[in-house]
Amino acid sequence: MVYAGTPAFAVPALEALIDAGYRVAAVYTQPDRPAGRGRRLRASPVKTLALEHGLVVEQPESLRDPAAQARLAGHAPDAMVVAAYGLILPAAVLGIPTHGCLNIHASLLPRWRGAAPIQRAIEAGDKRSGVCLMEMAAGLDTGPVVACRSTPISAEDTASTLHDRLADMGAELLVDSFDDWLSGRISASDQPEAGVTYADKITTEECRVDWHEAADALARRVRAFDPWPVMRCHRDHAPFKIWAARSLPGFATTGVPGEILAVSDEGIDVQTGDGVLRLLRVQVPGGRAQAVADFLRGHTMHVGEILL
């Protein structure tokens, strides 16, 4: 088999395959990218793990290149397992592995097909999420589903915590199901047409707080955009990042959206279009993310101040 993945989400599944004794003929991952202040080339988390285990690493810029396809075929894979690879697999590639390509997708399909299922599930207020093993087809996450496993989304879950939980769940589900799928003991089922939603890619433009929105919606977006791109507004013409917050619905207030209503070690209460948003962990330029109680030891905020 060959494995294709790039970010941290794809690490547990590769590690689980290695630990279970599967022979991984090659690991496909995106080319090294500039990262950090020095913009030096950095290997992906999947490449780092693969090299630690002495596995062959392939990093084509594209799998549309006939030469890259021929090299993949040269590995003679019986299957290709894909997890957050980040490159499109054209039809010619999908047909190379004997049993096809199996994708680990971080949602309960057909809900949240697409690029950002974890963030969109939290943002939408979904009560549950999960992982599905899906046979890859030409459409966007439209292939038949082999197996799924679900988990509740708690009121404290962020994209970071849910990401890590789903990555581990995906690894467990893969190892539990892989042999049965290869042997045909379990078969894939077509996704239902009802309930299809799409998880658009997250953009930095979405992280700007609109204080006219409801506190509940803003609190969900704060959780959905942790650890990236992080919700933010402006204070004194400088970015003011909001890492954690919770809504306080039902407060009878007369403030205008963005107005600070109360300041204490418990949080900074801000008027929204519907309800109050209590900021719990914040960050200013040049500083680190801090709980409000720690932040207020070095910064002063006033009731009546307007966050933009």
Side-chain angles (χ1 to χ4, degrees):
M1 65 169 292
V2 294
Y3 186 85
T6 298
F9 180 84
V11 167
L14 176 58
E15 201 158 29
L17 289 170
I18 295 169
D19 291 345
Y22 288 98
R23 179 182 174 272
V24 182
V27 172
Y28 278 72
T29 190
Q30 286 198 41
D32 298 358
R33 306 294 188 197
R37 292 185 177 179
R39 306 303 293 165
R40 294 182 178 179
L41 291 178
R42 180 179 297 174
S44 74
V46 164
K47 179 181 178 178
T48 299
L49 176 65
L51 292 178
E52 288 174 358
H53 288 274
L55 300 176
V56 174
V57 174
E58 303 279 7
Q59 295 181 276
E61 289 284 351
S62 169
L63 285 174
R64 298 187 185 279
D65 180 5
Q69 295 174 10
R71 187 166 179 83
L72 174 60
H75 292 296
D78 57 350
M80 185 173 189
V81 175
V82 182
Y85 180 30
L87 293 183
I88 293 174
L89 272 59
V93 168
L94 296 178
I96 290 174
T98 307
H99 293 279
C101 300
L102 193 64
N103 178 248
I104 305 172
H105 185 76
S107 82
L108 297 175
L109 292 166
R111 186 161 179 80
W112 302 127
R113 296 173 178 173
I118 295 173
Q119 295 92 331
R120 298 305 183 191
I122 294 174
E123 183 184 20
D126 289 5
K127 300 302 182 184
R128 301 192 71 81
S129 182
V131 288
C132 289
L133 300 182
M134 174 193 67
E135 292 180 350
M136 298 183 71
L140 178 63
D141 299 329
T142 58
V145 172
V146 173
C148 291
R149 196 163 288 173
S150 69
T151 182
I153 301 177
S154 76
E156 289 74 39
D157 265 324
T158 66
S160 178
T161 61
L162 185 57
H163 166 283
D164 292 352
R165 192 158 75 249
L166 294 181
D168 289 340
M169 286 177 59
E172 293 169 1
L173 183 61
L174 175 65
V175 171
D176 289 347
S177 308
F178 193 56
D179 281 347
D180 287 340
W181 175 70
L182 283 177
S183 66
R185 288 191 294 270
I186 57 174
S187 57
S189 300
D190 290 340
Q191 295 183 36
E193 295 183 5
V196 174
T197 58
Y198 289 92
D200 293 332
K201 183 178 179 179
I202 303 296
T203 66
T204 54
E205 289 76 17
E206 294 180 78
C207 70
R208 179 69 183 269
V209 175
D210 179 355
W211 293 110
H212 291 84
E213 291 189 56
D216 283 346
L218 290 173
R220 291 196 302 268
R221 198 167 297 132
V222 168
R223 292 164 45 220
F225 294 174
D226 171 0
W228 187 90
V230 185
M231 289 293 284
R232 66 198 68 189
C233 57
H234 277 80
R235 178 179 185 246
D236 294 334
H237 306 290
F240 188 71
K241 292 184 178 181
I242 304 170
W243 283 88
R246 65 184 178 92
S247 64
L248 305 176
F251 272 41
T253 62
T254 57
V256 299
E259 181 179 350
I260 295 177
L261 305 175
V263 178
S264 71
D265 285 352
E266 293 185 0
I268 301 165
D269 295 351
V270 186
Q271 178 69 55
T272 73
D274 181 10
V276 173
L277 188 70
R278 176 166 288 175
L279 313 187
L280 303 173
R281 189 164 172 252
V282 298
Q283 183 180 12
V284 293
R288 58 186 177 86
Q290 294 179 294
V292 163
D294 297 324
F295 175 79
L296 292 175
R297 292 191 182 98
H299 302 82
T300 302
M301 299 193 77
H302 303 285
V303 172
E305 184 178 343
I306 304 293
L307 300 177
L308 300 174

